[in-house]
């Protein structure tokens, strides 16, 4: 099978789909009909070139064969990749459907290989085959499609509703395949022509889904990928002209330096936006809350009070309908957690206690937010020398967390543990409980940079 143009090349040229980009578009569209896990498994540019020229020593892998034979009904893979014989080809029996443009597949780099290996740890999310490629290649594919500035037919109501539904809570890893599939639909629709207003709505949906995916990866300790998805969300929000979602993407991205003890990086990210922010939105209140936490970490009490006051004031001016639960908004109880955490960092034990008493009446006892509040107050107690009471609260916080603790709880647990200088009566029990919880990844928050 060497040396001459193949039947595959001839058929593609007749339909003006001989470029790698055009072929991948048709390949993904056909793969969706067979098995959605095959989406994104199209051949690399190098492999495609060998298919076109007949420079092959063995047949392609089974998944490629399945898709090729569905793309060209009536032809076997052996026929498609053999040198072209004009007398033996009835091109009229083959029909190709026009598909949306999809970016070329890029060869794996060492970083991509590492990311792929890390993603396999999300086994509970059902990430296999093409879904892993979606998670790894998704931000680049999405942004490149946006750059095409083309638009298409949509099921906007459904997609908008799904993006809102997935953003109504901190999404578990199990919904990652669902979010990736919805975003795949958005990408395909963005590659077709439609009115500009629909293009904007699609970009807005894509931005929300990118935030959801970024949050899942952040909570699963995949920080480099999470940062890329937040960046894609910001890019899509700009395309949609949606300042609010852009602010949400910025706040989400700022969680990475917030939970990696980089307060100056936090301020560098949020300060330019806060200097120009005028509208009272939950996202702006969130940015002020993150700034307050950073100032508290730096021991800047007056700046903390100013920023926290601004966050409280802005939330008070927001419409009630805007204060929705989940990751696409910011709520009073989350702001109160930030206040407890900040006051604990500043050593304001009395101030933290006042807020904690109120927060305990608001939070569900089994939520991550409740655990974070307890850890914040326990940290203040530990710094005040009340180690036994601090460990009691920390144990309560760790045990009340539903399921496997998220990365935010894990980080705060280890930060609290670092404050325990002298063993207390309950410290042994606390450390046994902590030993059963994963440590932050060496390549994760502790080592990440913005």
């Amino acid at each position: 099978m060497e040396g001459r143009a193949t039947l595959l090349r001839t058929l593609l040229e007749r339909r003006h789909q001989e470029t790698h980009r055009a072929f991948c578009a048709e390949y993904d569209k056909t793969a969706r009909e067979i098995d959605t896990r095959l989406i994104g498994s199209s051949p690399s540019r190098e492999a495609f070139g060998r298919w076109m020229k007949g420079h092959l020593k063995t047949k392609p892998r089974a998944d490629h064969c399945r898709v090729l034979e569905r793309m060209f009904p009536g032809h076997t893979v052996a026929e498609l990749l053999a040198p072209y014989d004009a007398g033996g080809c009835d091109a009229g029996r083959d029909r190709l459907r026009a598909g949306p443009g999809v970016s070329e597949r890029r060869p794996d780099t060492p970083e991509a290989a590492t990311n792929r290996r890390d993603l396999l740890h999300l086994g509970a999310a059902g990430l296999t085959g093409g879904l892993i490629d979606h998670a790894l290649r998704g931000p680049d594919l999405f942004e490149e499609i946006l750059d095409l500035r083309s638009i298409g037919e949509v099921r906007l109501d459904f997609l908008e509703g799904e993006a809102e539904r997935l953003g109504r809570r901190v999404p578990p890893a199990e919904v990652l395949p669902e979010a990736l599939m919805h975003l795949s639909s958005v990408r395909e629709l963005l590659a077709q022509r439609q009115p500009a207003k629909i293009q904007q709505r699609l970009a807005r949906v894509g931005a929300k889904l990118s935030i959801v995916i970024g949050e899942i990866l952040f909570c699963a300790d995949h920080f480099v990928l999470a940062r890329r998805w937040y960046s894609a969300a910001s890019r899509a929000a700009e395309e949609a002209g949606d300042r609010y979602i852009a602010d949400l993407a910025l706040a989400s991205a700022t969680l990475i330096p917030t939970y990696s003890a980089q307060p100056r990086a936090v301020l560098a990210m949020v300060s330019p936006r806060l200097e120009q922010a005028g509208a009272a939105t939950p996202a702006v209140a969130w940015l002020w809350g993150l700034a307050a936490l950073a100032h508290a970490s730096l021991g800047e009490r007056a700046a903390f009070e100013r920023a926290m006051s601004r966050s409280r004031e802005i939330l008070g001016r927001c419409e009630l309908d805007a204060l929705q639960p989940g990751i696409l908004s910011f709520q009073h109880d989350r702001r109160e957690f930030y206040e407890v955490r900040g006051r604990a960092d500043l050593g304001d034990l009395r101030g933290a206690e006042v807020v904690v008493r109120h927060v305990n009446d608001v939070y569900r006892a089994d939520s991550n937010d409740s655990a974070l509040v307890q850890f914040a107050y326990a940290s203040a107690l530990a710094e005040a020398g009340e180690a036994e009471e601090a460990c009691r609260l920390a144990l309560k916080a760790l045990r009340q967390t539903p399921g496997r603790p998220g990365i935010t709880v894990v980080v705060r647990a280890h930060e609290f543990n670092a404050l325990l200088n002298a063993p207390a009566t309950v410290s042994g029990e606390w450390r046994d409980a902590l030993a059963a919880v994963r440590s932050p990844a060496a390549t994760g928050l502790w080592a990440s940079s913005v």
Side-chain angles (χ1 to χ4, degrees), residues 169-174 215-216 218-221 255 259 326-327 331 333-338 340-341 359-360 362-377 393-413 437-438:
R169 56 175 175 161
V170 176
E174 286 75 14
E215 183 74 12
I216 293 171
F218 170 76
C219 291
D221 218 359
L255 291 175
Y259 280 89
I327 63 172
Q331 308 81 32
D333 47 6
R334 183 62 58 86
R335 187 208 61 77
E336 287 169 333
F337 156 61
Y338 284 6
V340 173
R341 172 70 196 188
V359 169
N360 284 340
V362 176
Y363 282 102
R364 294 194 338 269
D366 63 347
S367 71
N368 281 341
D369 288 339
S370 178
L372 292 172
V373 169
Q374 297 297 334
F375 273 122
Y377 187 46
L393 285 176
L395 271 171
K396 177 183 176 183
L398 200 57
R399 289 170 175 170
Q400 75 185 28
T401 304
R404 187 181 184 187
I407 189 61
T408 53
V409 173
V410 172
V411 169
R412 294 311 186 200
V437 177
R438 61 177 179 171

Side-chain angles (χ1 to χ4, degrees), residues 255-438:
L255 291 175
I256 295 174
T258 295
Y259 280 89
S260 56
Q262 298 180 41
R264 297 194 186 281
V266 170
L267 294 174
M269 291 178 69
V270 304
S271 295
R273 171 59 184 146
L274 293 177
E275 288 173 0
Q276 60 179 339
T281 68
V284 172
W286 189 0
L287 292 172
W288 277 111
L290 291 165
L293 277 181
H295 286 302
S297 296
L298 294 169
E300 299 169 353
R301 182 181 296 270
F304 164 78
E305 296 289 357
R306 285 195 300 271
M308 189 53 65
S309 177
R310 287 290 290 146
S311 181
R312 186 186 306 112
E313 173 199 350
I314 289 171
L315 273 185
R317 289 163 49 198
C318 291
E319 298 290 338
L320 291 179
D321 290 346
L323 304 179
Q324 300 292 339
I327 63 172
L328 299 179
S329 185
F330 186 66
Q331 308 81 32
H332 288 287
D333 47 6
R334 183 62 58 86
R335 187 208 61 77
E336 287 169 333
F337 156 61
Y338 284 6
E339 184 170 358
V340 173
R341 172 70 196 188
R343 294 195 181 284
D345 285 347
L346 291 167
D348 182 5
L349 185 59
R350 182 178 296 276
E353 182 181 7
V354 169
V355 181
V356 165
R357 287 177 179 173
H358 171 68
V359 169
N360 284 340
D361 294 333
V362 176
Y363 282 102
R364 294 194 338 269
D366 63 347
S367 71
N368 281 341
D369 288 339
S370 178
L372 292 172
V373 169
Q374 297 297 334
F375 273 122
Y377 187 46
S379 297
L381 288 171
E383 290 187 322
E386 300 182 29
E388 185 171 350
E389 176 64 11
C391 286
R392 186 188 68 79
L393 285 176
L395 271 171
K396 177 183 176 183
L398 200 57
R399 289 170 175 170
Q400 75 185 28
T401 304
R404 187 181 184 187
I407 189 61
T408 53
V409 173
V410 172
V411 169
R412 294 311 186 200
H414 281 269
E415 286 181 347
F416 166 77
N417 190 64
L419 298 174
L420 298 176
N421 297 319
T425 304
V426 75
S427 289
E429 187 180 1
W430 155 251
R431 290 195 168 98
D432 287 343
L434 182 66
V437 177
R438 61 177 179 171

Side-chain angles (χ1 to χ4, degrees), residues 132-208:
I132 291 180
D133 282 339
H134 275 304
L136 294 171
R137 300 167 57 211
D140 290 329
L141 288 171
F142 185 40
E143 290 182 354
E144 288 169 11
I145 287 293
L146 287 168
D147 286 338
L148 293 177
R149 305 189 65 80
S150 57
I151 42 188
E153 293 296 329
V154 295
R155 293 170 294 154
L156 274 176
D157 289 342
F158 170 75
L159 290 171
E160 288 172 337
E162 287 296 280
E164 286 292 328
R165 179 181 64 82
L166 291 172
R168 291 285 178 170
R169 56 175 175 161
V170 176
E174 286 75 14
V175 306
L176 182 55
E178 186 178 2
L180 288 168
M181 286 298 96
H182 289 322
L183 188 58
S184 176
S185 296
V186 170
R187 284 204 310 264
E188 290 183 9
L189 293 167
L190 283 167
Q192 302 170 20
R193 289 205 168 274
Q194 290 225 358
K197 288 185 178 179
I198 297 179
Q199 165 86 348
Q200 289 178 334
R201 291 173 65 186
L202 278 171
R204 186 177 294 112
V205 171
K208 291 180 180 180

